[in-house]
Amino acid sequence: MLDTVQDPVKDYDAIVIGSGVSGLTAAIVAAQGGLDVLVIEKAKVFGGTTAYSGGVAWIPNNHLMHRAGLEDSREKAETYLRAVLGNYYDEAKIDAFLEYGPKMLEHMEATTELEFLVAPTPDYEPDKPCAYHSRGVLVREFDGTKLGDHLKLLRQPLDTLTVLGGMQVAGADITPLRTAFQSGASFAYTTKTVLRYARQKVTHGRATRLVSGNALAGRLLKSALDAGVTLWNDCPALELLKSGDRVTGVRVRRAGRELALTARRAVVLASGGFGANEERRKEFMPNPAHHRSIQPAENVGDGATMGESAGGTLVRDNPMNAIFIPISEHRGADGRMQRFPHIMIDRYMPGSIAVNQAGERFVNEGLSYQHYVTTMHAEGMDRSFLIGDRTFLRRYGMGLVRPFPYRIGKWLKNGYLTEGRTIEDLAGKLGIDPARLKATVERFNGMARKGADDDFGRGADAHSRFRGDQTVKPNPSLAPLETGPFYSITLYPGDLSSVAGLDTDARARVLGQDGRPMQGLYAVGLDMNSMTKGMYPAGGSSLGPGLTFGYIAGLDIAALP
């Protein structure tokens, strides 16, 4: 329920700071245990970074996999994680994750609005022992009208990932939308989808068919309301309150007033990391002068700051401190910056390559976004160029430039998209040596025609084959760049979210500087230091632990077994 500003209650059993996946999960589970729970959200809308995400949670050995006839085990998942993480393997936290992740999933599906289906994506390190596929679960789409008036309080998805001014696009929509003018079935699907969105826009002012991370945030918001959780938006937390060594509450600002709120059992930090904090980026991100983030503007590290001030420790020795992604950007005529996260589709598809400023390929373009950007970091790159031919651009699009039948003229005019009649012409406009880029493209084209990337193995691994266009043979990830004109957009190193957080134990309790759990203080999600120390074994390696440790924290606070 949404409490009134005029007469706020000031005493609760538990107070959760933040309304993303981990904070809402902790609040729901604690409320299910009979506690009086308050969630405070700094923004005017609920959902945090979760509402921007792909909505996949990595939970190995889960019941949905087994129901689908897929074989996995805790031991296999542990073997894979040990191989990926090496000396960064956190025994206690990963034991808790592997034990409670599947239990969390069953519990949340049984008692809340959460519903998932198996996502067939391969793990992101497919060459490691016991790598598998389908360990991620994708939230099912959600009818936002179930939220009633609360729908307007749900954070909208990233506008750069929607079409037609707000229509949300699920993974299953991409091929039918892209091929709407190539088959009758796709045209019928697209027409039905667009007309449905138009009706929703007229009736509700926004899309009510929620997909991906927006569906996850919407389902959790509905579940929190059903569980009796009190929700305050537009309410920044200012500092934690302590009595002796115990955290006893939080001071907040609400409706222009400062309030001291009591938490009889615990405060949970779930404020969503610090991706939007320029100073924190300078401290934690490689090449910060060229680093971009798509995190909400409110995510400036409030949880980490308050946790440190109360006596916790912000971890500073992770090998990686973010979920890294390549980002393209454009500043519109209104001055607003549009950033596009290249999570999927374009750079994975056949008929494209990525090159450095010398005009040379530097990476298997079909591996994960984490791998792409960390390779840029390792090579000291502040930008790269995604290049495709006319066929590629019109079939798949490039970032903000949508595929046919969308027009490309405005993107050429505003400089987001660069066009060259020939590869040499394009190179000159990009400031790349024309002979070098031509040689790179000619070598790639020769390999693409035979279906084998001898340089980087694109399409030989499970991940890049899966992400490619399955209609292209013999390698769904490879096709030559040969039909001019040729096009390019610039990709910068960026992040989906920071992951460096407060040091905690396996029950999500914040550890003091003496290494002992602090009384009354928990941290989950991006305020809890990454279980994998920032390394990224699979898609959903943030949402999966976020759900799981939110669940663990809720159980612990409510003293449930």
Side-chain angles (χ1 to χ4, degrees), residues 66-392:
H66 300 311
R67 189 181 296 167
L70 299 167
E71 295 184 4
D72 197 16
S73 67
R74 175 173 173 165
E75 291 72 27
K76 289 178 180 177
E78 180 181 326
T79 297
Y80 173 66
L81 285 170
R82 286 188 183 277
V84 171
L85 302 180
N87 292 334
Y88 294 103
Y89 188 90
D90 187 324
E91 191 97 33
K93 288 193 182 69
I94 292 176
D95 277 354
F97 171 69
L98 295 177
E99 174 73 17
Y100 284 94
K103 295 176 181 178
M104 173 279 300
L105 202 61
E106 289 193 76
H107 173 85
M108 296 299 282
E109 282 210 316
T111 64
T112 75
E113 283 283 343
L114 290 192
E115 293 182 26
F116 294 93
L117 50 86
V118 172
T121 313
D123 291 337
Y124 282 177
E125 300 281 353
D127 60 325
K128 294 293 193 292
C130 291
Y132 197 46
H133 60 86
S134 306
R135 285 169 166 157
V137 292
L138 172 64
V139 66
R140 290 184 182 274
E141 65 178 63
F142 182 58
D143 179 3
T145 63
K146 291 184 177 181
L147 285 168
D149 290 341
H150 297 107
L151 177 61
K152 64 180 180 291
L153 297 176
L154 177 67
R155 183 183 293 278
Q156 297 263 17
L158 276 175
D159 59 352
T160 54
L161 297 180
T162 67
V163 296
L164 302 175
M167 188 177 87
Q168 299 185 29
V169 179
D173 299 329
I174 293 171
T175 297
L177 292 177
R178 193 175 65 211
T179 60
F181 295 95
Q182 299 173 28
S183 80
S186 292
F187 183 81
Y189 182 96
T190 299
T191 301
K192 178 182 176 181
T193 302
V194 171
L195 289 176
R196 177 177 55 187
Y197 166 65
R199 289 193 297 270
Q200 294 169 358
K201 188 83 168 177
V202 169
T203 305
H204 301 281
R206 62 161 290 171
T208 61
R209 180 208 178 211
L210 311 182
V211 303
S212 304
N214 218 239
L216 179 56
R219 286 182 176 276
L220 284 166
L221 182 58
K222 177 66 164 60
S223 301
L225 292 165
D226 290 345
V229 174
T230 301
L231 298 156
W232 291 2
N233 63 327
D234 199 12
C235 181
L238 304 177
E239 68 173 339
L240 297 176
L241 304 177
K242 295 181 71 175
S243 177
D245 292 333
R246 183 178 185 84
V247 172
T248 58
V250 59
R251 188 167 60 87
V252 306
R253 182 180 298 113
R254 191 169 191 235
R257 292 187 296 163
E258 290 192 8
L259 303 174
L261 307 177
T262 298
R264 289 182 286 268
R265 294 203 182 186
V267 172
V268 182
L269 300 173
S271 69
F274 53 78
N277 186 321
E278 183 176 356
E279 292 305 312
R280 289 288 196 195
R281 289 202 304 272
K282 289 178 181 178
E283 180 181 1
F284 284 91
M285 303 300 175
N287 203 0
H290 299 280
H291 186 89
R292 276 76 169 163
S293 178
I294 63 165
Q295 282 205 262
E298 296 84 6
N299 290 36
V300 294
D302 293 338
T305 299
M306 289 186 291
E308 274 195 302
S309 296
T313 301
L314 181 59
V315 177
R316 288 175 164 83
D317 59 358
N318 294 326
M320 302 175 197
N321 288 315
I323 302 172
F324 294 115
I325 52 168
I327 288 176
S328 58
E329 65 181 17
H330 163 67
R331 190 174 297 279
D334 60 358
R336 188 171 63 91
M337 181 65 76
Q338 289 183 292
R339 287 187 170 143
F340 185 92
H342 291 260
I343 303 171
M344 54 187 298
I345 307 176
D346 55 5
R347 65 184 177 82
Y348 295 109
M349 293 300 171
S352 68
I353 59 171
V355 301
N356 57 24
Q357 289 171 281
E360 298 172 335
R361 291 179 70 213
F362 63 95
V363 72
N364 175 346
E365 298 91 342
L367 290 180
S368 74
Y369 34 88
Q370 188 86 352
H371 179 81
Y372 187 102
V373 175
T374 55
T375 302
M376 291 182 69
H377 291 157
E379 299 197 8
M381 298 167 56
D382 60 29
R383 68 194 63 197
S384 62
F385 303 101
L386 179 66
I387 297 175
D389 64 6
R390 175 79 176 181
T391 299
F392 173 84

